[in-house]
Amino acid sequence: MTISLSSLFLWSGFNKILHPADTQAYMAAYGMPFTWLFLPVAIALEISAGLSLLLGFYARLGAAALAIFTFIATFIFHSNFTNPIEQIMFMKNLCIIGGLLMVIQYGSGNIAWRSR
């Protein structure tokens, strides 16, 4: 489970690195101020916490950081409930948060990539 959760955030973080102007424009379109500050913070969080899940190194802490990040992002970017796609994206993010809460509760398990 942690490998699939980490891949989602690692992909997103690296995509933000590859397309910073597009990401900042997307953030600004939703009324976010200081995108020049929030973009590098989001990149650092998604990559570092994603790696913590993947490697099983402080996975609970990484999952908690990503759960909070995803919760906040969900209400910023997917709160237009008149749009069916946004409703689906909102529910998808709630499911991701649920998976992260399971990592917080039970740890990274035996699937995380780490030396024994």
Side-chain angles (χ1 to χ4, degrees), residues 42-73:
I43 291 168
L45 178 68
E46 287 180 315
I47 291 177
S48 62
L51 284 173
S52 79
L53 286 178
L54 178 66
L55 301 174
F57 186 72
Y58 291 102
R60 286 185 165 109
L61 181 62
L66 289 171
I68 293 166
F69 171 80
T70 304
F71 183 80
I72 293 167

Side-chain angles (χ1 to χ4, degrees), residues 75-88:
F75 282 97
I76 292 171
F77 299 108
H78 303 300
S79 60
N80 179 7
F81 298 121
T82 60
N83 182 340
I85 298 298
E86 292 301 321
Q87 292 174 12
I88 292 168

Side-chain angles (χ1 to χ4, degrees), residues 1-79:
M1 174 173 58
T2 58
I3 293 172
S4 59
L5 280 170
S6 68
S7 66
L8 174 72
F9 291 101
L10 290 170
W11 179 277
S12 180
F14 286 116
N15 194 43
K16 286 175 176 64
I17 291 171
L18 295 175
H19 308 285
D22 293 340
T23 304
Q24 280 188 301
Y26 179 78
M27 294 165 76
Y30 283 88
M32 284 193 70
F34 309 114
T35 59
W36 56 270
L37 173 66
F38 289 124
L39 178 60
V41 170
I43 291 168
L45 178 68
E46 287 180 315
I47 291 177
S48 62
L51 284 173
S52 79
L53 286 178
L54 178 66
L55 301 174
F57 186 72
Y58 291 102
R60 286 185 165 109
L61 181 62
L66 289 171
I68 293 166
F69 171 80
T70 304
F71 183 80
I72 293 167
T74 298
F75 282 97
I76 292 171
F77 299 108
H78 303 300
S79 60

